[in-house]
Amino acid sequence: MARLGGWKRVQRGVTLVSGFVECICFAGIIFGWASLVFVLKSDGYFRELCVNSTNTAENKTVLDCSTQDERFSLIFTIASFMNNFMSLPIGYIFDRFGTMTTRLLGISLYTTATLMIAFSSAASSLLLYPALCLLAVGGILFLVTNIQVGNLFEKHRSTIITVYNGAFDSSSAMFLIVKVLFEFGISLRSMFLFISSCSVLHLLRTFLLLPRKHIPYPLPENFSYGVSYRTSQSFTLTREGGEGAAPRNRAPQRTTKALQPMEEPQKEGNAEISFQSCVFSWLFWFHLLWLSVMQLRHYLFIGTLNSMLSRLTEGDPQKISHYTNAFALTQLCGVLCAPWNGLIMDRHKRGAHSQRDPQNGSEQLADLRSSVLSLSLTGFQCVLFSVCAAVPVLPVQYLTFVLQVLNRSFLYGGNAAFIIIAFPPSHFGKLYGLVMSVSAVVSLLQYPCFALVKGPLQGDPLYVNVALIAVTLLAFVHPVNVYLHCRRETKQRETGAHNAPCV
């Protein structure tokens, strides 16, 4: 029994660490697009779109690659859209078929994408469209199946969720490694063939360190998964039928709980909270607004970073490379920034528990109350980031890079944590997928914004940046609504009547 318990602790530790490595090395590399664009341009992808033009001010011929920049921006726009939009069917597949099926799908998509990039060339540049889309979808599948690992560590659940999302953000720095190795003479094909071969590790982790279905929350007693599943099952059967077996009126109950794939949906009284009631709630719609406006700001910044640096450096390739490296290096800090958000939520949750009246409070209400500060702080960071991004001074962009990675870490970690807190766990996959899918539609506005800057605004993004600052202020509606919801629920509990969580 003690040996089995020791193995469980080791297994959960290895699951936690390996999930972190998977997220930081593979899941979100699509967002290191600026570094990969530098490599692709050097290899001649879409070079035929560059044309000679005359600079009237200096009366000399220059190479105009604005159409090439637009093509790369369009690829990122479509890939980032697919990264979010496909979260809805991904969420359904995860809820319906479980972890193993979802991960096998993700591994196959991811491997196909890396092989397509490995065997692409300047002559087959169009392969980047499907390859980057598959890479984005495969990466989000890795993240979705890893978020549930937080359920194994109840006291640090929000922290682990935000750490994994921070690792997802930091994985964008992997394309910086690709860029540096490329400058040392290693071909793009060799690097992506190596990334493809790592799919063997993903498969081993799927079968040995993750459940076939889900990790429930709260975690049932003697819950087993992965390689220990059969061991736990055999151990339970031995206790039931062997010598010295436990009383039969207790053993079946424990076995059922240990092997239960998913917890029962939350209930209010005797009525199960439906998926529809969660979707048609103000909590959901204001959370969607909160995510969408800030995500649009981030996607536009990442997708246009290379062209923005080209404009601010006047096309100096050394300066562009330097600032691209600086941006990619700051992305590594995402995994260091993300835990702060989880720690804020976990700390305020404990404070809410210590101050609340046990008769009128609830676990979920304390969780919701703890999220208000996190949601507000994330919105404030995005406003600061947007202001700095609007300043056309090159050294200021160092501060912009820092604020961008800090805010992005808070944004996605807070997004997953809030959905888990505010809504029933049985609907997590579908709600997470829905909010990401709808926000993806909003993120498509990044390409019209880019075209507006390149066309009518003649390369000056000032008006677009000012408009985006105004739009990001809408994010503050969400924490205000959550605060009012918690206060209203508290008053209703004092009178003996309260609403369902999804209101």
Side-chain angles (χ1 to χ4, degrees):
M1 187 72 172
R3 195 183 333 177
L4 189 63
W7 163 247
K8 283 185 178 179
R9 286 192 293 272
V10 172
Q11 184 189 35
R12 291 179 185 182
V14 174
T15 300
L16 176 67
V17 173
S18 62
F20 174 81
V21 172
E22 186 173 79
C23 286
I24 200 171
C25 293
F26 302 97
I29 64 174
I30 178 67
F31 296 104
W33 178 242
S35 298
L36 186 62
V37 166
F38 187 90
V39 175
L40 295 173
K41 283 185 174 182
S42 300
D43 264 356
Y45 285 73
F46 298 115
R47 183 178 291 166
E48 69 278 3
L49 298 177
C50 294
V51 295
N52 291 323
S53 63
T54 303
N55 188 327
T56 55
E58 300 180 8
N59 195 25
K60 64 178 182 179
T61 302
V62 295
L63 192 64
D64 181 10
C65 292
S66 59
T67 306
Q68 183 191 37
D69 289 335
E70 285 187 28
R71 186 62 59 89
F72 283 122
S73 177
L74 181 59
I75 291 173
F76 179 75
T77 299
I78 296 173
S80 59
F81 168 76
M82 294 298 291
N83 175 268
N84 287 353
F85 185 75
M86 291 303 294
S87 295
L88 180 57
I90 287 169
Y92 174 79
I93 292 170
F94 178 64
D95 284 347
R96 176 69 179 82
F97 299 103
T99 303
M100 183 175 294
T101 301
T102 307
R103 284 183 60 83
L104 290 177
L105 175 62
I107 293 168
S108 59
L109 294 178
Y110 199 91
T111 307
T112 302
T114 53
L115 288 174
M116 289 177 73
I117 297 174
F119 290 104
S120 67
S121 64
S124 56
S125 300
L126 292 177
L127 276 178
L128 293 177
Y129 282 96
L132 268 295
C133 289
L134 293 176
L135 191 68
V137 175
I140 199 67
L141 279 161
F142 288 154
L143 177 63
V144 167
T145 54
N146 277 308
I147 285 176
Q148 61 180 331
V149 173
N151 294 345
L152 295 172
F153 306 89
E154 182 178 359
K155 293 182 179 179
H156 307 287
R157 187 184 182 208
S158 296
T159 303
I160 291 171
I161 291 170
T162 51
V163 165
Y164 273 23
N165 278 272
F168 178 85
D169 295 336
S170 294
S171 64
S172 58
M174 293 304 295
F175 276 162
L176 170 63
I177 297 175
V178 170
K179 175 179 176 293
V180 171
L181 292 177
F182 178 82
E183 291 173 336
F184 275 101
I186 300 177
S187 68
L188 190 68
R189 174 170 296 183
S190 299
M191 288 183 282
F192 272 90
L193 284 175
F194 173 77
I195 295 173
S196 300
S197 67
C198 292
S199 294
V200 176
L201 301 178
H202 303 317
L203 286 170
L204 290 175
R205 185 166 181 272
T206 299
F207 292 112
L208 301 180
L209 292 173
L210 286 170
R212 188 174 63 86
K213 289 294 184 181
H214 305 90
I215 300 175
Y217 183 83
L219 201 65
E221 185 182 357
N222 292 335
F223 174 75
S224 298
Y225 65 94
V227 72
S228 68
Y229 180 84
R230 291 184 179 275
T231 304
S232 174
Q233 192 176 33
S234 301
F235 177 77
T236 306
L237 292 174
T238 301
R239 288 196 58 179
E240 283 190 51
E243 293 182 3
R248 291 185 178 272
N249 62 337
R250 293 179 59 188
Q253 198 173 28
R254 178 169 295 188
T255 303
T256 302
K257 195 172 185 181
L259 303 182
Q260 183 179 359
M262 197 67 177
E263 69 276 26
E264 289 295 323
Q266 293 182 18
K267 295 185 178 181
E268 187 66 30
N270 294 325
E272 179 181 322
I273 299 171
S274 67
F275 174 69
Q276 183 178 1
S277 67
C278 294
V279 171
F280 291 100
S281 66
W282 285 115
L283 283 180
F284 178 83
W285 285 103
F286 282 129
H287 182 68
L288 176 61
L289 174 68
W290 177 84
L291 175 66
S292 298
V293 296
M294 288 190 280
Q295 181 173 263
L296 174 62
R297 173 66 269 192
H298 283 276
Y299 280 8
L300 183 62
F301 180 77
I302 295 171
T304 61
L305 178 63
N306 191 267
S307 60
M308 181 193 75
L309 293 177
S310 297
R311 177 174 56 85
L312 294 180
T313 61
E314 298 180 348
D316 187 332
Q318 290 186 341
K319 286 185 177 180
I320 293 173
S321 177
H322 171 75
Y323 276 90
T324 300
N325 290 348
F327 172 72
L329 284 172
T330 57
Q331 300 305 297
L332 283 171
C333 299
V335 71
L336 303 177
C337 301
W340 301 350
N341 195 12
L343 290 170
I344 288 171
M345 297 178 75
D346 285 336
R347 181 179 178 83
H348 279 260
K349 176 183 174 181
R350 289 193 291 269
H353 278 310
S354 63
Q355 297 172 9
R356 68 181 174 90
D357 180 354
Q359 295 180 347
N360 294 328
S362 72
E363 181 81 15
Q364 191 203 32
L365 199 58
D367 286 339
L368 273 177
R369 204 177 286 120
S370 72
S371 70
V372 173
L373 177 60
S374 170
L375 297 172
S376 303
L377 186 58
T378 304
F380 179 68
Q381 291 168 352
C382 191
V383 172
L384 288 181
F385 155 60
S386 300
V387 170
C388 290
V391 178
V393 178
L394 199 56
V396 174
Q397 300 315 308
Y398 288 121
L399 179 59
T400 305
F401 297 161
V402 172
L403 288 171
Q404 191 271 340
V405 70
L406 177 64
N407 182 236
R408 192 161 177 267
S409 299
F410 271 62
L411 177 64
Y412 290 106
N415 171 48
F418 181 81
I419 292 174
I420 284 178
I421 286 170
F423 305 105
S426 57
H427 300 315
F428 169 73
K430 295 185 288 294
L431 289 171
Y432 182 85
L434 182 60
V435 76
M436 296 297 284
S437 297
V438 178
S439 66
V441 177
V442 178
S443 71
L444 287 176
L445 292 173
Q446 63 182 293
Y447 186 72
C449 290
F450 180 80
L452 179 64
V453 171
K454 286 293 183 179
L457 297 180
Q458 299 179 345
D460 185 1
L462 176 63
Y463 294 109
V464 171
N465 285 329
V466 171
L468 287 171
I469 292 172
V471 169
T472 54
L473 291 173
L474 294 174
F476 289 100
V477 175
H478 184 36
V480 171
N481 177 65
V482 174
Y483 171 77
L484 294 176
H485 167 80
C486 291
R487 192 170 68 171
R488 185 168 60 251
E489 276 286 295
T490 301
K491 289 181 179 179
Q492 289 175 342
R493 289 175 188 276
E494 290 174 356
T495 60
H498 59 90
N499 296 326
C502 299
V503 296

